[in-house]
Amino acid sequence: MARERTFIAVKPDGVQRGLVGEIVSRFEQKGFKLVGIKLMAPSNDLARRHYGEHEGKGFFAGLVSFFTSGPIVAMCWEGDNVIEMARAMMGKTNPKDAAPGTIRGDLAIDVGRNVVHGSDSPESAKRELELFFAAGELVEWSRGVDAHVYEKA
């Protein structure tokens, strides 16, 4: 399988709680490669576009308000099966249903403050990465460690 990319964001609650390093560390320890990262304050327009699939739902305004309530850390991670595996690492959306050992299972309590967002498909990863990263902001680079992460690096 070709390497794929996914969008991961540490939400305002995760940034405020000082969990950025913990979350980055989990992805690095798994063996994924960080190819883009930035601390940013998302605009209302960006948040509305990001969560556009939920527009018209009762929780949309609160979601946008929360996402713009403080800085986020936007990231692009690369690796084999990274979208599916990142979703598993994050755990279920509602932390009460998230397994211990997952990011949400270990670090979150409330569904409205679940610390992290991750793309749920190749299509959403492409769309979200284009929303949060301009052309040229994602770095192409080689890691010597890939031979120790992948059988066929």
Side-chain angles (χ1 to χ4, degrees), residues 43-109:
S43 68
N44 191 275
D45 178 61
L46 177 59
R48 293 180 71 78
R49 287 186 289 145
H50 175 60
Y51 287 117
E53 66 199 51
H54 300 298
E55 193 158 11
K57 296 178 182 169
F59 59 87
F60 180 71
L63 196 58
V64 168
S65 177
F66 169 64
F67 200 68
T68 58
S69 68
I72 67 162
V73 174
M75 297 178 282
C76 178
W77 290 92
E78 182 179 277
D80 290 359
N81 301 306
V82 69
I83 296 168
E84 179 183 347
M85 293 177 80
R87 298 288 295 176
M89 289 171 62
M90 289 185 306
K92 300 216 180 211
T93 301
N94 191 333
K96 77 174 183 60
D97 300 324
T102 64
I103 293 168
R104 292 175 177 143
D106 291 349
L107 305 175
I109 295 171

Side-chain angles (χ1 to χ4, degrees), residues 3 6 10 20 23 59 61 63 70 95 99 102 107 113 125 135 139 142 150:
R3 304 261 152 67
T6 194
V10 180
V20 174
I23 293 166
F59 59 87
L63 196 58
T102 64
L107 305 175
R113 301 293 183 266
V139 179
S142 298
Y150 299 104

